[in-house]
Amino acid sequence: MPADRGSSVTPLKEAASAELDAMRENVSDGYPAPPEMKVTREQMKAAQLPINFRDYCAHLLIPLNDCRKKSFYWPFSCSDLRHAYEKCEFDEYERREMIHRMKKKEGLA
């Protein structure tokens, strides 16, 4: 049985799944490692996060959205959570930019 990839609509075929796992294992040295996912797909789905926000910073967005709903989106509440989320997103952006610069330097991008 193929590994669960989070999609019940279009599950990956066994060959594609094995190829994807091999690509993930063969990450070349020198690139910054991706951060750890701290929430599961089920938790993100239960929190009704839009798909484009289901990233490495979702563990900060879930409590931020709860705080926003409780405070009726008052702009001055939840500022600590908002800044933590924005910092996480900025750090992720910098990591992706570093990977892009490294690939460009190697002639891969």
Side-chain angles (χ1 to χ4, degrees):
M1 176 150 197
D4 180 28
R5 301 287 182 210
S7 174
S8 60
V9 180
T10 55
L12 288 177
K13 295 180 181 174
E14 194 64 38
S17 177
E19 183 179 344
L20 182 61
D21 289 338
M23 287 172 60
R24 288 181 176 155
E25 290 174 4
N26 293 331
V27 175
S28 65
D29 294 332
Y31 292 135
E36 176 187 353
M37 285 296 292
K38 297 181 181 177
V39 291
T40 63
R41 293 173 192 243
E42 290 78 22
Q43 290 170 325
M44 290 186 271
K45 188 175 181 180
Q48 298 179 345
L49 287 182
I51 292 179
N52 56 332
F53 289 101
R54 296 180 186 186
D55 58 5
Y56 296 113
C57 300
H59 67 284
L60 297 170
L61 184 59
I62 293 171
L64 174 60
N65 283 345
D66 289 341
C67 180
R68 286 173 170 167
K69 289 173 188 171
K70 288 176 185 172
S71 65
F72 300 103
Y73 291 88
W74 182 251
F76 305 109
S77 62
C78 313
S79 60
D80 292 339
L81 289 170
R82 182 172 50 89
H83 288 294
Y85 174 71
E86 289 173 353
K87 169 110 173 66
C88 180
E89 286 291 333
F90 180 72
D91 291 344
E92 176 60 19
Y93 167 76
E94 285 185 327
R95 186 186 71 84
R96 289 192 317 264
E97 282 295 313
M98 184 184 304
I99 291 171
H100 178 71
R101 283 192 301 270
M102 292 170 82
K103 285 184 177 181
K104 191 173 181 181
K105 188 176 180 181
E106 294 171 0
L108 298 174

